[in-house]
Amino acid sequence: MEDLKSIIRDVPDFPKKGIIFKDITTLLADAKSFQRMVDLLAHRYVGLKIDKVVGVEARGFIIGAALAYKLGAGVVLVRKPGKLPSETFSKTYDLEYGTDTLEIHKDAIVKGERILIADDVLATGGTMSAVVDMVTSLGGEIVECCFMAELNFLGGRQKLPQGKVFSLLTF
Ligand code: AMP
């Protein structure tokens, strides 16, 4: 795993001073690393009857779509406001400063479907926690929330359902 970790680029002071941004585009751009990352994550869910993988805008789309393809599951998009064309369910959640809103199509999940949620980085957990609420509100059964990488020191997993969080890489 160390080789996968080392290919993720640290960008200091982005998007603002004091934040070390984990830039996963360097991993995505490396053919072998991208394939390995997707294979390792997908392997965990083979045989678990995942109906749909929910990807969180925007980097979660890339991981979510690749996982869904491998698992023979559908892909569901969670997007920023105003992007989804049909009737949406939306959730507003707190950020460090201010709030943010995410949307999902109301009919994207059928009650009882087994759902895997995917995103690139687990930081404070605010975003994933909002997505968990949205999926649960639509009746989806969350199998797990999975991430390419987790920033352990921020304790984001405390905000998520216990025992239902998996990160391939931890920092
Ligand atoms: P959070 O809600 O704090 O868990 O962060 C949510 C989103 O922000 C994740 O989808 C990440 O893509 C992004 N993010 C937050 N902090 C970082 C970081 N230090 N490096 C890379 N991405 C981050």
Side-chain angles (χ1 to χ4, degrees), residues 19-22 59 119-127 151:
I19 291 182
I20 299 175
F21 194 83
K22 293 287 173 194
R59 291 170 298 252
D119 203 0
D120 64 333
V121 174
L122 171 59
T124 66
T127 305
L151 306 179

Side-chain angles (χ1 to χ4, degrees), residues 86-155:
S86 191
E87 210 185 334
T88 59
F89 177 85
S90 67
K91 173 93 190 169
T92 298
Y93 59 100
D94 289 328
L95 294 175
E96 196 181 350
Y97 301 104
T99 62
D100 217 341
T101 301
L102 288 171
E103 292 184 345
I104 188 170
H105 272 147
K106 269 188 177 164
D107 60 0
I109 291 172
V110 176
K111 199 169 182 296
E113 280 184 326
R114 290 171 59 76
I115 307 293
L116 174 66
I117 313 176
D119 203 0
D120 64 333
V121 174
L122 171 59
T124 66
T127 305
M128 187 53 83
S129 168
V131 179
V132 163
D133 285 353
M134 295 165 91
V135 170
T136 308
S137 298
L138 293 180
E141 188 193 318
I142 293 169
V143 175
E144 203 156 68
C145 306
C146 76
F147 301 88
M148 190 192 303
E150 174 171 356
L151 306 179
N152 260 339
F153 55 94
L154 292 174

